[in-house]
Amino acid sequence: MSFVSARADFEPEAPMFALILANSLVSTIPGVSGAGESPEKSLLVPPLDAELIINGELSLEGITPNTPTGCPTPAVLTLAMMDLIGMHPLMIAAGIESEITVPYMNLGGKTGGDPRNGNAVPEARKLYERGVKVGEYLSQTSDMLILGECLPGGTTTALCVLRALGYAAKVSSCLVDNPVTQKEQIAKEALARVADAGTADPLGIVAMIGDPMIPVAAGIAEGYSGKLFLAGGTQMLAAAAVIRALGNTVPDIVTTSYVYNDTTATFRETAAAIGCDAYYVDPEFDTLGHAGLARYAEGEIKEGSGAGGAMFLASLLGYTPEQIKTAIRNHIDAYE
């Protein structure tokens, strides 16, 4: 299998990598997300990932960029790629619970709520409009944007939004054992609320049962005039579905082979139904002689913090698979 599924027909002169940082209270529901040391601490993951990617280290004592099983977090992969290509990424925050200690663009908004109760993102339209302005701004200095996300619990809100928009989608998980039954029950209750309200407007659906990342990504897609890649798994498919429902051009999407081939999800089928071209990177982590990295191939983590898009960007800029894998391994070894 090739490192990249297909060669993108685009050669950027001024590429940029940006990451949307957001929170949803869905990640605090026990069993839904594997991010963080506990459901409550999952809210800390976006600020910590941003700190690692920007500063190259974590300031909190006793915190390492690994899961309890020793699997390196995707932020390490993204950091390795940013260092390899010499790029300074942009952090964009929307609906963040905790303080962010590195420079970032703040779009405001509150932490996303539980889609089963009340409006999860009451400021969805405002976040969308601010996203449009961000997209227009970034168009002034770049001709290609790799846009990733860091949002624990986001596959569950993605499931809610995709189903509400009419897609028979199944979503992935950072857990080896995807909590499908629990996610389906949450989506069932959320969809009942949408049906009762008779909501059909895409941003209205996001406001009821989505998360803060989705309207920001959709707004950036409208405002950005260059080539846009949504970097992420099934969470970014929800953003793509909203973009299409709003009548805007659907961007390409790039992920890892671990999401693309996830049998508990329908990444390929859903991407095709939405109408976005999908790329994936196969880093062959099970061949690098690192037990933690090998867990990606076993279904842990799979993707996150734009890791697949970061590796894709490095490849697009001419770095070989060997250079990319070596950079990742070197960064991981530095933290052990």
Side-chain angles (χ1 to χ4, degrees):
M1 185 180 295
S2 301
F3 183 78
V4 176
S5 59
R7 179 71 180 178
D9 187 22
F10 188 83
E11 295 184 3
E13 295 182 2
M16 176 177 285
F17 182 95
L19 194 64
I20 301 173
L21 311 171
N23 280 136
S24 168
L25 292 180
V26 169
S27 70
T28 66
I29 301 173
V32 168
S33 175
E37 295 181 354
S38 67
E40 293 74 22
K41 290 185 177 181
S42 65
L43 298 174
L44 297 174
V45 170
L48 289 175
D49 278 12
E51 184 178 58
L52 180 62
I53 294 169
I54 297 296
N55 291 343
E57 59 184 6
L58 296 171
S59 58
L60 292 177
E61 291 186 13
I63 300 294
T64 62
N66 297 303
T67 69
T69 62
C71 185
T73 65
V76 179
L77 313 181
T78 299
L79 167 63
M81 294 302 96
M82 295 299 102
D83 285 351
L84 177 65
I85 65 179
M87 181 173 289
H88 298 286
L90 173 66
M91 298 295 156
I92 304 170
I96 280 288
E97 186 84 4
S98 303
E99 179 186 4
I100 300 174
T101 61
V102 297
Y104 68 101
M105 183 180 289
N106 187 9
L107 302 192
K110 298 180 180 179
T111 294
D114 188 329
R116 300 170 296 183
N117 307 304
N119 281 349
V121 194
E123 299 170 291
R125 191 166 298 278
K126 182 181 293 185
L127 290 174
Y128 175 80
E129 292 170 352
R130 290 174 178 173
V132 173
K133 295 298 183 183
V134 172
E136 293 172 346
Y137 174 73
L138 297 181
S139 298
Q140 299 177 103
T141 56
S142 66
D143 63 349
M144 187 183 80
L145 174 63
I146 305 290
L147 183 64
E149 54 75 28
C150 182
L151 171 65
T155 55
T156 301
T157 47
L159 178 65
C160 295
V161 171
L162 285 166
R163 293 282 178 83
L165 291 174
Y167 296 94
K170 295 180 182 179
V171 294
S172 197
S173 171
C174 67
L175 295 166
V176 175
D177 295 318
N178 192 346
V180 172
T181 301
Q182 189 175 13
K183 291 182 179 182
E184 289 286 352
Q185 182 58 40
I186 292 172
K188 180 179 179 181
E189 295 179 39
L191 291 171
R193 293 184 56 244
V194 173
D196 288 344
T199 303
D201 171 63
L203 291 178
I205 289 172
V206 173
M208 287 190 71
I209 62 173
D211 60 60
M213 182 278 294
I214 295 174
V216 172
I220 290 174
E222 177 172 334
Y224 191 68
S225 61
K227 178 66 176 179
L228 175 62
F229 288 92
L230 299 178
T234 43
Q235 289 163 276
M236 278 306 193
L237 287 178
V242 169
I243 292 167
R244 177 181 177 178
L246 289 169
N248 296 324
T249 301
V250 180
D252 294 343
I253 190 167
V254 58
T255 189
T256 65
S257 57
Y258 308 120
V259 170
Y260 191 83
N261 296 319
D262 183 4
T263 58
T264 69
T266 56
F267 181 89
R268 283 177 277 185
E269 295 84 352
T270 305
I274 295 169
C276 56
D277 290 335
Y279 298 82
Y280 66 85
V281 174
D282 179 17
E284 298 181 319
F285 283 159
D286 55 334
T287 68
L288 301 188
H290 188 279
L293 274 177
R295 291 193 62 81
Y296 274 80
E298 297 169 9
E300 187 172 350
I301 305 295
K302 301 183 184 71
E303 168 69 281
S305 291
M311 289 185 279
F312 175 80
L313 176 58
S315 177
L316 195 61
L317 294 178
Y319 292 90
T320 67
E322 290 71 25
Q323 289 174 309
I324 292 170
K325 295 175 187 179
T326 297
I328 289 172
R329 184 61 194 264
N330 288 343
H331 275 73
I332 290 171
D333 290 344
Y335 292 108
E336 294 182 343

